[in-house]
Amino acid sequence: MDTIVVTPRGYAKYGKEEKERLESLGYQVDMNDTGKPLSREVFKEKAKEAAGIIVGVDQLDGELLRQCRNLRGIVKFGVGTDNIDLKTCREMGIGVKRCLGTNSNAVAEFTIGMMFACARNLVSNVEEVKKGNWTKPTGIELRGKKLGIIGFGSIGREVARMALGIGMEIYVYDIADISEDVLHHYEAAQKETNWIFEECDFITLHVPLTNETQHMISEKEFHKMKNTAVLINAARGGIVDEKALWKALKENEIYACASDVFTTEPPKNEEWIKELLSMERFLLTAHIASRSREAEMAAVKTATDHMLDLLRQES
């Protein structure tokens, strides 16, 4: 009997019916229902016996994959595959699928929410009121502002749709050409990144972490931005050079930054990182942009369908 290892806690929470579907088709489902991440050693032992793995953030590096002699399919319970050694998967003939589109709305809503939080000083003002203070900062409105969207896949397009309803001007960059029909639909103009850095009031990131995108925003890019600019990163840690961000905020090169991700999660206990986290104009959340109930329920269904497809078993 083939075993499917399932590690994401979202699957355990919302996947009872899909687990039963897999079992009814003859699979043994080894699901992490502890409510905690699996240790590296426990995950390794389970992975070595699996025919399929539905994985969240656990590392499937080459060293581990080469020990997985039964493994035929991996499904990422999400979009980013930076925790999966795709080259080794290709060499070993292991199929890999992602749950594309299942969290697009959740991440887009989170991104827009962070834009409002930065523009209106919401987090810092709530904290001030809780301390007994009654300060009244003056923020800015989003309507009429230029929004630069870097990465115009399903999440970037959802951000554009919502921002268009707010009344923002939409400018987009993607490594691929965007058709005129798509640009017309979102009332967007395609621009190069330098133009976006120099001209946009808000900049949002929706690209994968690759060799090309690592530190794509660093000191040089911050120098180009308006000192009133707001940067939102709901993509991956490492796309923004966080030490350069710390300097940019200290020197008022940009107004604010909100991020759902960090290069090392949780952040290391280093002095410059502690200072960055303490800054009023830097907001960091614990990689929760995609974590809505609706998104996780959609990902459960998609992940199960993908796994059955990879294991050549019709549902």
Side-chain angles (χ1 to χ4, degrees):
M1 180 184 292
D2 284 334
T3 297
I4 298 171
V5 171
V6 181
T7 68
R9 286 165 282 178
Y11 196 108
K13 188 171 184 178
Y14 298 109
K16 180 176 181 292
E17 291 182 3
E18 294 303 300
K19 176 177 181 286
E20 291 173 353
R21 176 157 73 108
L22 290 170
E23 291 171 337
S24 73
L25 292 167
Y27 294 100
Q28 179 177 331
V29 181
D30 184 350
M31 186 161 69
N32 175 25
D33 56 6
T34 66
K36 300 177 182 178
L38 296 177
S39 71
R40 170 71 173 176
E41 288 307 311
V42 169
F43 177 60
K44 182 186 292 187
E45 291 307 308
K46 291 178 180 292
K48 286 193 291 188
E49 304 301 320
I53 301 175
I54 297 175
V55 67
V57 297
D58 309 87
Q59 292 294 321
L60 279 164
D61 52 61
E63 180 268 331
L64 173 54
L65 286 168
R66 279 185 277 274
Q67 299 179 59
C68 300
R69 296 300 178 183
N70 301 320
L71 190 58
R72 307 201 302 274
I74 298 169
V75 177
K76 175 61 186 278
F77 194 74
V79 178
T81 55
D82 44 289
N83 61 318
I84 303 170
D85 187 333
L86 298 178
K87 183 175 182 290
T88 300
C89 287
R90 287 192 294 270
E91 291 172 357
M92 296 181 64
I94 301 168
V96 179
K97 286 180 176 282
R98 302 179 291 160
C99 296
L100 291 169
T102 57
N103 63 15
S104 297
N105 186 74
V107 177
E109 285 188 1
F110 179 94
T111 299
I112 296 291
M114 282 297 209
M115 289 166 59
F116 278 115
C118 290
R120 300 301 298 272
N121 307 291
L122 298 183
V123 175
S124 59
N125 198 241
V126 167
E127 291 175 348
E128 284 297 303
V129 172
K130 286 180 182 293
K131 293 174 184 175
N133 300 321
W134 199 248
T135 56
K136 296 185 178 183
T138 299
I140 59 172
E141 297 180 7
L142 271 60
R143 187 175 65 176
K145 301 300 187 297
K146 291 183 173 70
L147 170 62
I149 301 173
I150 298 178
F152 205 53
S154 58
I155 295 172
R157 294 181 191 197
E158 281 297 292
V159 171
R161 179 183 64 80
M162 296 175 192
L164 191 60
I166 295 169
M168 303 184 81
E169 296 179 19
I170 313 299
Y171 301 93
V172 302
Y173 168 81
D174 198 272
I175 193 170
D177 286 334
I178 305 166
S179 72
E180 288 299 324
D181 287 345
V182 170
L183 291 172
H184 178 74
H185 180 77
Y186 294 99
E187 298 181 28
Q190 188 168 7
K191 298 289 187 179
E192 292 299 318
T193 53
N194 282 339
W195 189 95
I196 287 174
F197 296 146
E198 293 169 1
E199 300 294 334
C200 286
D201 304 294
F202 291 82
I203 300 169
T204 69
L205 305 177
H206 309 286
V207 295
L209 178 62
T210 65
N211 290 334
E212 289 71 32
T213 63
Q214 185 172 27
H215 287 185
M216 74 176 295
I217 297 185
S218 191
E219 291 187 16
K220 182 174 69 174
E221 289 72 31
F222 285 121
H223 290 330
K224 294 176 181 177
M225 294 181 193
K226 299 178 179 181
N227 60 12
T228 55
V230 174
L231 176 66
I232 311 292
N233 183 10
R236 281 291 183 270
I239 294 170
V240 175
D241 178 345
E242 287 130 2
K243 201 157 195 176
L245 169 64
W246 165 60
K247 293 176 181 176
L249 288 169
K250 281 180 68 173
E251 296 168 10
N252 295 311
E253 288 189 317
I254 65 170
Y255 178 70
C257 174
S259 185
D260 185 47
V261 292
F262 212 79
T263 297
T264 302
E265 297 178 359
K268 294 180 179 178
N269 189 31
E270 297 180 14
E271 285 304 316
W272 71 267
I273 293 177
K274 288 193 287 186
E275 184 178 345
L276 174 62
L277 294 176
S278 71
M279 289 179 172
E280 183 178 299
R281 292 180 288 116
F282 177 63
L283 308 180
L284 179 66
T285 48
H287 212 143
I288 61 170
S290 64
R291 293 181 65 86
S292 73
R293 181 173 59 186
E294 294 84 354
E296 296 206 339
M297 290 173 70
V300 164
K301 174 68 165 58
T302 299
T304 305
D305 289 343
H306 283 343
M307 182 53 66
L308 289 170
D309 182 52
L310 288 169
L311 298 181
R312 304 184 187 282
Q313 172 69 58
E314 293 185 5
S315 57

